Amino acid sequence: MSGAKFLTDKTKSLSKGDGPRSLVATSLHSAANNLQVCWEIDEWSRWRQEASEIKRYVLSNLDILLGQFIDKLESKGVKVICAKDAEEANNEILAIIKRHNAKLAVKGKSMVSEEIELNHFLGERGITSYETDLGEFIVQLAGTRPSHIVTPALHLSAKEIGKLFEDKLGEHNSAGHEELTQIARRQLRSKFIESEIGFSGVNFGVAETGTLCICENEGNIGLSTSSPKVHIAMMGIEKLIPRLDDIPLFLNMLARMGTGQKLTTYTHLVNAPAEGTELYVVLVDNGRTRALGDVEFREILKCMRCGLCMNNCPVFRQVGGWAYGWIYPGPLGIVLTPELLGIETAWELPFACSLCGACGAICPAKIDLNHLILRQRRRAIEKNTHGRKLTETIMWKLFAIGASNKYIFKTMMFFVRMGIRFAPFLPFKFGKLKAWTDGRDLPKPKKFL
Ligand code: SF4
């Protein structure tokens, strides 16, 4: 049975219920679709290799390509702003908005804007930014963060969304997908017309031509970037590709891995501001240059934000996106968040992994995620970020010695087997561990070789 077939069958067996059940079913379903459309192409491995090499080239020549990209943009009348961190990016955006005396904005989905918490920043200064992507619209209405980078409302069932629309918008309670979409569409229509500013992210910036490539399925980005007079595009500095000719490869891969489509419904290639409008590009660093200099981990900057490593991760499917504490969940977040925020802040993440390797095996940019996770784990241990006690350090050092010598290891295993055999009679069956041990039987130890 193929992996995709297995996942489809497994999905069918899960009813689309509430909360975690919906999360498991939806992410399994997405993973199955993604794999199906990838494995039907013979050149898939070659594509992965090419994409990986192109992105590696970009990272090795980022300064040159960024310079080329900025020159091209400026020669076409695009105003480019380079922001070293979230604060600078937000302040620059605010300055643009103030210059245009704007109070309302519409926004397409953008992970960089989540990273700098743009909506929150603007909201505190009296500027309303409406999310127009359906999933983002739902999570904004719920007052929560997205739980997935591609499908932000993955954790909610249609029933829960219907209830949310009833409570927050006064709409009648419905669980029909089409009806829910129509409600959101009706609510958002006027916002596109009223807003003076349109925000978007950028999927790929083409250095050769200064082109912004933006992919979407709902038409909301087309409206957000063309209806208001001012378009502000936010982009992480690593999102470059060298040539226009590279676009077909990346479009094919992003859509297949991201949503299981052959191509996204709309692809916008923005080259210059339309007549009578202004176009700003905000290039956000926010820790990326530091990550680039980190030779062990710079590969994570090859990521094209397809989200497949999340759908494919057994831990993500159980705990959901919020458990990862910041905006990048799953295997991507485990590696990227410590790079951008520092391992001291995100030290717990590398331990939220079973090291099954499913993410690295499927990543379209060929990022060796499982080994990067392991290295982040080692870094957390080396920096003792979680304040490990001396006794624990000694215990693990002794274990490392024992595990690397077969005679000591065999002796250790002998005592472990003895311990398990006699455990039911040992004192820890009582005392503090009673509640836990009462409900569980230890498995019989296997005979050791
Ligand atoms: S790490 Fe790989 S699989 Fe995960 S989102 Fe990035 S490109 Fe996709």
Side-chain angles (χ1 to χ4, degrees), residues 89-101 121-122:
N90 281 329
N91 283 327
E92 290 284 357
I93 291 170
L94 181 65
I96 301 169
I97 295 175
K98 280 190 173 164
R99 270 206 300 282
H100 290 88
N101 285 324
F121 176 86
L122 295 180

Side-chain angles (χ1 to χ4, degrees), residues 303-309 332 363-364 367 369:
C303 172
M304 58 181 89
R305 308 285 192 272
C306 71
L308 187 62
C309 54
L332 164 65
C363 170
I367 302 171
L369 285 159

Side-chain angles (χ1 to χ4, degrees), residues 149-150 254 257-258 299-300 302-310 312 329-333 335 359-360 362-367 369:
I149 64 170
V150 177
L254 183 68
M257 287 306 202
E299 285 268 301
I300 195 62
K302 293 195 303 183
C303 172
M304 58 181 89
R305 308 285 192 272
C306 71
L308 187 62
C309 54
M310 287 144 228
N312 229 29
L332 164 65
V335 183
C359 49
I362 200 70
C363 170
K366 277 196 121 180
I367 302 171
L369 285 159

